[in-house]
Amino acid sequence: MNILERYIASHVASAIAIVLLIILGLDCLMALIDQLDRLNDHYTFVGALHYVALTAPRRLYEFIPLGGLVGAMIGLGMLASHSELTVMRAAGFSTQRILLAVFKPVLLLAVMGMVIGQFVAPLTERKAQSARAVALSGDGTFFVRGGVWHKEGTEYIHINAVESGDVIHGVTRYQFDDQMQLIRSSHARIGRYAGDVWLLEQVQETRLLGTHTETALLAEERWNSGLTPDLLAVVVLEPEDLSISGLWSYTEYLEAQGIKADTYLLAFWGKLLQPLSIGALVLIGISFIFGPLRSVPIGQRVISGVVLGLVFKFAQDLLGPASTVFGFPPFLAILIPILICGGAGWLMLRRAG
């Protein structure tokens, strides 16, 4: 990498870093404010700060495409505003070499995003959600907002909180017969995974027996379930917060249960193709710098980048449900906006010369 390439790459990298820090800071501040109305004797302000800090990697991961787009537009746009790009091109530094210099920090950004999305964000997000749920349930009731629903065969399960991979709280189970008539419900205070079975403690059971019901209190109940701690770590999070490998394994599990997994497939392809999304957005952003946004103020570039990123995100969000309705593969809902965005950027760059 020669001096000019390092100069361009450093400008773009620093602009991306500043944009991401600003966006992440604002989002964390808004998240902290949102937590204030949930504070109680057990979920304190320190706990809310801890929750927001643990969710920061997931928030950073979500903003990486937008941060890469806006940062690249600002970094390269500043060079264009001072006519430095014009001087470079006049000196024989081609547009292709400028693109290569810009994409070097963008490639590092994409790799960082994959690492955070696969290894860091799912772990910290799970800890954040579990710690908050347990804190909100500090009075022992465990009837808190949120939790997770899960279906296994003819049984519907709700889990209020997951303290760790093998400890769960507030396990409510509804069991139906083949005619989908409710025949049993139960609520367990806590459950622990013991090798290949869940041991549920302090169980309140209700059986529906035609014209009457029977209730019982059980100190312990063995629950055989395919919901292992590894799968449970996937269930408690939203699809967008899961790792790529976790999404794929849970998709296979749902399909084995005969349950449609389109939501998880959309999240899987979105995460897997995120580097292409970043590249397509940065490419069209660069084409704007060489074209219509060559000499506009920095504020207008920021607004243009944000609008472009939102349009791209909305396109993927709209095509996601459309793939379910019209029956085309979920990966096309993610890939089509990428191809359109990347193709448009490439054509604009060729016209700009």
Side-chain angles (χ1 to χ4, degrees):
M1 185 185 296
N2 62 27
I3 295 176
L4 288 179
E5 289 177 338
R6 285 197 299 269
Y7 183 69
I8 295 172
S10 63
H11 266 69
V12 172
S14 58
I16 290 175
I18 292 172
V19 169
L20 283 175
L21 286 175
I22 292 174
I23 297 176
L24 179 62
L26 291 173
D27 190 56
C28 287
L29 178 61
M30 297 302 296
L32 181 60
I33 294 173
D34 183 60
Q35 295 300 308
L36 295 182
D37 65 339
R38 303 189 180 192
L39 300 184
N40 56 35
D41 293 339
H42 304 279
Y43 186 55
T44 62
F45 183 74
V46 174
L49 282 174
H50 183 243
Y51 168 78
V52 173
L54 285 175
T55 60
R58 185 259 300 171
R59 301 176 192 279
L60 175 62
Y61 176 80
E62 292 176 349
F63 288 122
I64 280 178
L66 179 61
L69 167 64
V70 177
M73 292 181 69
I74 292 176
L76 202 60
M78 291 178 64
L79 297 178
S81 298
H82 295 94
S83 301
E84 292 177 86
L85 290 183
T86 303
V87 173
M88 291 179 190
R89 297 173 74 183
F93 202 76
S94 65
T95 303
Q96 287 74 21
R97 293 183 67 185
I98 294 175
L99 282 175
L100 181 62
V102 171
F103 270 95
K104 287 179 178 179
V106 170
L107 178 60
L108 292 177
L109 179 69
V111 172
M112 181 186 75
M114 293 292 285
V115 172
I116 294 175
Q118 173 65 24
F119 300 107
V120 182
L123 176 63
T124 57
E125 188 70 17
R126 184 166 62 251
K127 288 183 177 179
Q129 300 298 337
S130 299
R132 185 180 66 167
V134 172
L136 287 172
S137 305
D139 57 359
T141 60
F142 274 99
F143 290 100
V144 299
R145 288 179 288 182
V148 60
W149 282 97
H150 178 70
K151 178 180 180 293
E152 188 173 83
T154 58
E155 190 173 58
Y156 291 80
I157 306 135
H158 182 268
I159 300 172
N160 283 331
V162 181
E163 186 175 353
S164 65
D166 55 359
V167 179
I168 53 180
H169 297 267
V171 186
T172 304
R173 298 159 57 203
Y174 300 96
Q175 186 176 346
F176 294 81
D177 59 19
D178 294 337
Q179 287 72 43
M180 295 306 295
Q181 298 294 317
L182 181 65
I183 58 175
R184 180 182 183 270
S185 68
S186 67
H187 177 80
R189 176 73 173 78
I190 192 170
R192 307 179 192 277
Y193 196 71
D196 58 351
V197 67
W198 290 96
L199 298 180
L200 304 180
E201 303 174 8
Q202 303 178 38
V203 181
Q204 299 178 359
E205 177 190 61
T206 300
R207 292 183 178 272
L208 286 78
L209 304 173
T211 59
H212 68 284
T213 62
E214 293 181 357
T215 61
L217 296 177
L218 307 175
E220 185 178 91
E221 179 185 4
R222 295 172 65 88
W223 176 34
N224 291 293
S225 172
L227 196 60
T228 63
D230 289 339
L231 285 175
L232 185 62
V234 175
V235 174
V236 296
L237 296 179
E238 293 295 326
E240 295 79 10
D241 301 332
L242 298 171
S243 66
I244 297 174
S245 58
L247 283 166
W248 184 251
S249 62
Y250 191 58
T251 296
E252 292 184 325
Y253 171 75
L254 289 178
E255 290 177 345
Q257 294 287 324
I259 303 173
K260 294 188 67 175
D262 290 350
T263 302
Y264 289 90
L265 280 174
L266 281 169
F268 170 78
W269 288 111
K271 284 180 172 286
L272 189 64
L273 298 179
Q274 192 199 60
L276 292 181
S277 299
I278 297 171
L281 285 170
V282 170
L283 185 63
I284 197 170
I286 294 173
S287 69
F288 280 10
I289 298 301
F290 282 102
L293 301 183
R294 184 178 303 174
S295 58
V296 301
I298 187 172
Q300 189 171 341
R301 292 196 191 99
V302 172
I303 294 174
S304 300
V306 170
V307 170
L308 181 61
L310 291 176
V311 169
F312 180 84
K313 184 67 169 63
F314 290 156
Q316 288 187 330
D317 290 344
L318 288 173
L319 284 173
S323 67
T324 302
V325 174
F326 297 105
F328 59 88
F331 84 94
L332 288 179
I334 305 299
L335 186 60
I336 288 174
I338 294 175
L339 294 177
I340 294 175
C341 191
W346 180 254
L347 289 175
M348 291 174 66
L349 276 174
R350 293 195 63 180
R351 290 183 180 179

